[in-house]
Structures are given as C-alpha cells and as structure tokens.
Amino acid sequence: MKKIYGIIGDPVAHSLSPVMHNAAFEELGMDAVYLAFRVPKGELKDAIQGAKSLGIAGLNVTIPLKEKALSFVDAEEVAEKIGAINTIDFSSGTPVGYNTDGIGSLRVLKETVGQINGKKALILGAGGAARAISFYLDVEGAMVTIANRTKERAAQLASRLHNADFIGLEGELERRIKASDILINATSVGMHPNEDATLVNADLMHPDLVVFDIVYNPMETKLLKEAKKAGVKKIVDGVKMLVYQGAASFKIWTKMEPPIEAMEKAVRDALIRDRLHSRIFYIL
Ligand code: ATR
C-alpha cells in the first residue's frame, strides 16, 4: 500500500518539503507520497493522534507548531534539550519526535568549515532555529555568541549552552564579528518580501569568515550579497540546510539513504520557477 508522509504547520501551503520529498520518492522508485496539511495550533494534538490512527508513516512539523508538538510525542533526548521537534516517526506505533534542523545545519557547516571544535561562531537570532543550530555547535565544541535584538532572549539561550555568551545587535556586534570564524543568520531577516534587509553589512565582515544564511528565499539574500562584497570566500545559502534537515528526516522514516542531489535539485528548480511567478514566502 502507498505510504503517506507529510508536513503539518500553519501556514504550510508554500513549504517546499513536498516538492523535495516527492522528488526523493520518485528518484528511489518508492510507492509513497508527501502532502502538506494545514493544522491550526489548537488542533495539533488531534492531528498527531489522527495521523497515527490513519497509518501515516511520518510527519514534518513546521511553524508555529515545533515547540508545542513536543508535548504530544515521545521525544528523543536531543529534541527535548532543544525544546522543539520538526519530525515525527510513527513506525513504532507511538509517535516519536526528533529535531533534524540542527543536524542539517551542522552537516552544512562541517562540509564548509571542516572541524567545528574551537571555532568562534556568531549566531544572529535566538528563536527556534537558533536554538537547534547553537545546540549542535556547542556539542561540537564551538565557542558560540548569540546576538539577538531582544537581549534577554539571547541571554536565556546562551545560559543553556556550555561555552556561549550573548550580545545585542548594537555596539559590540562589529568587534565580535571581526573576531569570529563563522557568522550564521538564524533570523527571518532578508526573507522575501523584505529582500533588502540584513542585520550585517559588508564592512563588518572579513574574507575568512564563513557566512551561512538559513533563509532560502531568495537563495542569495542581502546578507550573502554583502558577504560577496566583503570578499568572503565561503558563502552558504539556506537551501542546503533545508535539504539536509529533510534528508535526515527521510532517513529516520525510511531507513534508506536519501538521494540528496535529486532533493536539492527539486528545491532549487522550484525556487527558480516560483520566483518567476513571484509566489510569497517559503518555510521548512
Ligand atoms: P524561529 O523559530 O523561526 O527561529 P522565532 O522564534 O520567531 O522564529 O525567532 C525569530 C528570530 O528572528 C528572533 O531571534 C527574532 O528576534 P527577537 O527575539 O528580538 O524577536 C529575530 N528577528 C525577527 N525579525 C527581526 C528583525 N526585524 N530584526 C532583528 N531580529 C529579528
């Protein structure tokens, strides 16, 4: 029988996860389909129980449900520590929750930077994405600085990590970026339709900085354009993280090796195609 997977969120219509996972199923010749389900926050518990009853094989969870969904699954320890899940697996009978956002970003950074241990990473943002990314960088032995508009949120996140501090977005930011190896934008700043926005300009960057933006629409954000202007050699866009978090979920559900290239191509093609038709925005 055809296996059913999907993503729950609200809004969810513009998620690229269906395009990405269906491309993977097609590439591997699997009899499976991946759909988007809009689930209001108040319906989340019923939706997860209903999915289990219907025999849905696996779900991704996106905004604004990632934190709340933790209460309705058996979460693996890492997801519990991060405080959010983005993946549910139903294969054991009970819903088990995972967080693959951090795994996705770590894979991107390892590919780009090599060893993370001892590196100085500055993360812009203190929301769910920043929580997942900073958790993995911390475990790998990076020295993490959380820079956030709301300083108290930055302080709270930094206090959950082993080797981290925090700053606001003014004053100290310039000096800290100059001293960093890695700069990560984990906020939504620069996402379509606010494509001219960036929290950091070229004059704060240096060529040896690795600059990674989790925003993937547009693929080349203002931050990444500024990085180019500053002569930054290693620039990573948000598509890679989307693909790697999806690939990690795919592996949890199917126990099969995900066809990364086909998944990435499907996402990049869809982004180019949809930009031509100027659709609004995208979510993991
Ligand atoms: P997510 O779970 O997707 O990370 P979130 O929890 O709403 O979403 O977090 C969004 C992050 O982007 C926050 O760090 C937010 O800063 P605040 O904590 O001060 O709200 C940051 N952010 C969003 N818009 C911003 C803007 N215009 N300028 C600076 N930071 C912004």
Side-chain angles (χ1 to χ4, degrees):
M1 205 164 80
K2 194 184 273 299
K3 287 206 165 179
I4 299 174
Y5 299 85
I7 181 164
I8 55 173
D10 185 18
V12 75
H14 296 90
S15 168
L16 289 176
S17 292
V19 163
M20 176 170 69
H21 285 285
N22 286 321
F25 296 146
E26 194 177 327
E27 179 75 13
L28 298 180
M30 294 167 67
D31 188 18
V33 66
Y34 186 109
L35 303 165
F37 302 98
R38 191 176 77 79
V39 173
K41 235 180 184 173
E43 305 284 333
L44 179 58
K45 187 177 180 188
D46 289 347
I48 293 173
Q49 283 309 315
K52 176 178 169 274
S53 306
L54 288 172
I56 286 180
L59 286 176
N60 279 128
V61 182
T62 189
I63 52 165
L65 310 175
K66 290 184 183 186
E67 283 91 5
K68 196 167 181 207
L70 200 55
S71 334
F72 307 128
V73 298
D74 286 344
E76 61 152 8
E77 201 185 332
V78 173
E80 201 79 63
K81 281 188 180 149
I82 292 170
I85 59 164
N86 74 331
T87 303
I88 305 175
D89 178 39
F90 294 95
S91 63
S92 69
T94 44
V96 181
Y98 301 83
N99 188 313
T100 67
D101 287 334
I103 299 170
S105 62
L106 184 64
R107 182 165 173 188
V108 169
L109 287 169
K110 276 191 168 165
E111 260 182 25
T112 316
V113 182
Q115 179 157 308
I116 304 291
N117 188 18
K119 293 283 189 311
K120 287 190 185 143
L122 189 137
I123 299 178
L124 299 163
R131 269 213 309 268
I133 295 169
S134 62
F135 175 84
Y136 277 91
L137 287 177
D138 188 55
V139 167
E140 291 287 319
M143 289 169 275
V144 175
T145 298
I146 307 292
N148 196 47
R149 177 176 61 184
T150 312
K151 220 170 163 181
E152 303 80 66
R153 262 187 115 186
Q156 215 173 31
L157 174 51
S159 73
R160 297 171 64 151
L161 305 170
H162 297 101
N163 193 5
D165 60 4
F166 66 94
I167 55 171
L169 291 181
E170 288 92 31
E172 244 202 298
L173 188 62
E174 174 164 6
R175 188 177 64 78
R176 300 300 284 272
I177 292 174
K178 291 253 147 87
S180 295
D181 303 300
I182 304 168
L183 172 68
I184 302 166
N185 176 42
T187 75
S188 50
V189 176
M191 189 190 284
H192 184 79
N194 301 312
E195 297 186 13
D196 285 335
T198 176
L199 295 177
V200 176
N201 288 308
D203 52 346
L204 301 195
M205 302 182 196
H206 60 83
D208 294 325
L209 193 65
V210 171
V211 180
F212 168 33
D213 200 333
I214 69 161
V215 172
Y216 60 85
N217 182 33
M219 280 189 266
E220 188 177 52
T221 58
K222 172 85 168 159
L223 177 80
L224 299 187
K225 284 189 180 134
E226 291 291 304
K228 249 188 196 167
K229 219 192 280 175
V232 169
K233 295 180 281 262
K234 291 184 174 172
I235 295 174
V236 192
D237 68 34
V239 172
K240 281 266 180 215
M241 176 168 159
L242 169 72
V243 171
Y244 287 165
Q245 63 80 30
S249 301
F250 187 94
K251 198 164 183 175
I252 288 167
W253 296 324
T254 65
K255 318 280 183 285
M256 289 168 76
E257 215 40 63
I260 299 273
E261 276 174 26
M263 294 168 83
E264 183 167 345
K265 183 174 183 311
V267 171
R268 291 194 188 276
D269 286 352
L271 278 167
I272 292 165
R273 199 172 51 237
D274 288 357
R275 277 185 79 74
L276 294 176
H277 297 103
S278 64
R279 296 257 293 265
I280 23 181
F281 67 97
Y282 298 89
I283 44 183
L284 291 178

